[in-house]
Amino acid sequence: MVRHRFRNTVVCAALLALGLGGVQGVASASPPPDTPRGPATVTAIEDGTARSLAASLSDPAWQARVEKAALATDGISLGDLARKASSPAAKDFGSVVSDADRDIAAAKGLDTKAGPLLRLRLADESMREALKAGAEPLVAAAPADDSATTVTAYDSAGRTHTLDAHRLPERPVYVIGVDAERAVTAGMAVLREELTRNGLSTAGPVDSESTASDGFWTSRITSVRLSDDEEPWIKGDAEIFSLVTGFGPDGKVRVDPVDMPYLDEDGRTYQPNQILVNWSYYKYNLADVVMMEEDSGTNYRSLAKALASALLTIIDMGAYTPLVNAVLDAMPDHWWTDDPDYVDSWYTLARNSAGSFRGARGNGTMTLEPYWVSAF
């Protein structure tokens, strides 16, 4: 995973860069209707679903079906799993999951077209043999706080078990969580829609002179690597996206989201050959990049509105102004406590930037090259 909690370091680096110094007997998976939306809400939904699933596993047929699915894949949609089962326990649990998926979509600013969001996975490959041998699994949801020292898990009898967050348990554990890849894909669509609505983006190139019929210049990522990070065993792979910011030809700040679905492990070098910046969108030969991680608390509509509120007040003064600080300041406060989404940032990348560039926070390194996209 790629979760970090370094806001003070981030702000210092930014200032330097700027030269400034359900189932019966189990509680419902969803919180009460008047519960404020946010990361705690999503965490509560995940935890409630975990309790409901654990209770439902007292049905042997359903338990066997869940086990088979967990052993066959590294992650499966809970909604799909329940819908394909015929036992009463599965049907009751399916109703819980349906409500939970709907509430999570709302909490994350997504619409129902996002599809089923909750998924199940076995916490670690090393648990497979014990599960096959008949060990009764526990069910848990990842805690919202990445610094948590314990994980709460449930068994089919309704008992609570406290597990060490940094020591892999011997007993098999099913982990309930949001399908981050699906959430990011849906979230990027929402983010682009909301950014366009709020005047921070357009559907296509906005500079007719720089988008000549023969093509346009871009910056392409030839390799990217994030630093190693010790994370609890219950966390799964990261889902990363970046916000590319600069000034459009109209003098207004624009933000272009870039999904990076391949970038899910620290300490590994990826070679995506992915276009990061389309220079036909920008007035100046400079742009900034803020890399973020999807987590359960990310609300994409709220993020777009926060960015609009912070960035639309910035006026083009005829010279490029770095925008990383404004983007970071726009982030909700809770992203700097229990659910930090910030990964790293890159200031003032230019169209001719080539070579290896380390982020301001020192967590990420990208190798870039200018790349001409030719028209057909």
Side-chain angles (χ1 to χ4, degrees), residues 75-134:
I76 187 169
S77 164
L78 275 176
D80 291 345
L81 183 61
R83 277 191 293 273
K84 293 176 181 178
S86 57
S87 69
K91 292 186 179 300
D92 289 343
F93 178 65
S95 178
V96 171
V97 174
S98 179
D99 291 342
D101 274 335
R102 183 185 62 249
D103 289 346
I104 286 178
K108 293 181 69 60
L110 307 174
D111 56 37
T112 54
K113 291 186 291 185
L117 290 170
L118 280 173
R119 67 197 293 267
L120 173 144
R121 63 178 174 85
L122 192 59
D124 192 82
E125 283 292 308
S126 63
M127 298 174 177
R128 295 175 64 87
E129 293 307 315
L131 188 62
K132 289 179 181 178

Side-chain angles (χ1 to χ4, degrees), residues 57-370:
L57 294 180
S58 59
D59 180 317
W62 170 234
Q63 195 281 330
R65 189 176 186 90
V66 173
E67 176 183 318
K68 182 179 179 180
L71 291 171
T73 179
D74 60 357
I76 187 169
S77 164
L78 275 176
D80 291 345
L81 183 61
R83 277 191 293 273
K84 293 176 181 178
S86 57
S87 69
K91 292 186 179 300
D92 289 343
F93 178 65
S95 178
V96 171
V97 174
S98 179
D99 291 342
D101 274 335
R102 183 185 62 249
D103 289 346
I104 286 178
K108 293 181 69 60
L110 307 174
D111 56 37
T112 54
K113 291 186 291 185
L117 290 170
L118 280 173
R119 67 197 293 267
L120 173 144
R121 63 178 174 85
L122 192 59
D124 192 82
E125 283 292 308
S126 63
M127 298 174 177
R128 295 175 64 87
E129 293 307 315
L131 188 62
K132 289 179 181 178
E136 182 186 357
L138 299 173
V139 187
D145 188 350
D146 291 340
S147 63
T149 58
T150 61
V151 173
T152 300
Y154 307 96
D155 64 25
S156 60
R159 292 184 294 261
T160 299
H161 300 255
T162 300
L163 308 177
D164 188 326
H166 295 282
R167 181 179 299 173
L168 196 66
E170 295 181 4
R171 189 169 177 177
V173 179
Y174 293 145
V175 178
I176 303 298
V178 171
D179 184 335
E181 183 174 354
R182 183 184 290 270
V184 168
T185 299
M188 291 296 97
V190 168
L191 195 54
R192 292 186 185 97
E193 174 189 335
E194 290 295 325
L195 289 172
T196 300
R197 181 176 299 160
N198 285 280
L200 285 173
S201 186
T202 57
V206 292
D207 185 351
S208 58
E209 294 183 3
S210 64
T211 55
S213 59
D214 56 344
F216 53 91
W217 280 104
T218 67
S219 287
R220 184 168 69 170
I221 305 171
T222 58
S223 71
V224 57
R225 181 183 180 91
L226 301 178
S227 300
D228 286 310
D229 167 17
E230 222 176 284
E231 288 293 344
W233 53 266
I234 199 167
K235 299 290 186 182
D237 289 339
E239 289 294 335
I240 303 295
F241 63 94
S242 290
L243 303 175
V244 179
T245 62
F247 288 88
D250 58 2
K252 295 180 180 179
V253 175
R254 65 174 288 125
V255 180
D256 292 295
V258 178
D259 191 4
M260 310 175 86
Y262 53 86
L263 189 53
D264 54 19
E265 293 183 17
D266 292 347
R268 176 180 172 186
T269 299
Y270 296 84
Q271 297 173 317
N273 288 325
Q274 180 184 26
I275 291 176
L276 179 66
V277 185
N278 180 339
W279 291 104
S280 70
Y281 291 165
Y282 296 97
K283 174 180 180 179
Y284 297 107
N285 181 31
L286 292 171
D288 298 330
V289 176
V290 177
M291 187 179 286
M292 310 293 294
E293 181 194 5
E294 149 73 20
D295 70 16
S296 61
T298 307
N299 184 303
Y300 291 94
R301 293 191 191 279
S302 296
L303 173 58
K305 291 175 183 177
L307 289 171
S309 177
L311 299 180
L312 287 177
T313 60
I314 299 175
I315 305 300
D316 177 14
M317 302 300 291
Y320 186 75
T321 301
L323 299 168
V324 171
N325 278 24
V327 172
L328 298 181
D329 287 343
M331 301 303 168
D333 288 342
H334 67 73
W335 285 16
W336 304 109
T337 52
D338 288 347
D339 294 285
D341 289 75
Y342 175 78
V343 176
D344 214 330
S345 53
W346 287 260
Y347 288 79
T348 56
L349 297 175
R351 191 181 77 178
N352 62 349
S353 292
S356 181
F357 298 86
R358 194 171 186 186
R361 228 220 68 206
N363 181 51
T365 301
M366 288 194 295
T367 302
L368 301 175
E369 67 174 10

Side-chain angles (χ1 to χ4, degrees), residues 22-56:
V23 175
Q24 187 171 353
V26 180
S28 169
S30 304
D34 57 349
T35 302
R37 296 295 183 187
T41 301
V42 175
T43 302
I45 296 170
E46 292 173 335
D47 184 73
T49 306
R51 285 184 286 129
S52 295
L53 176 60
S56 72

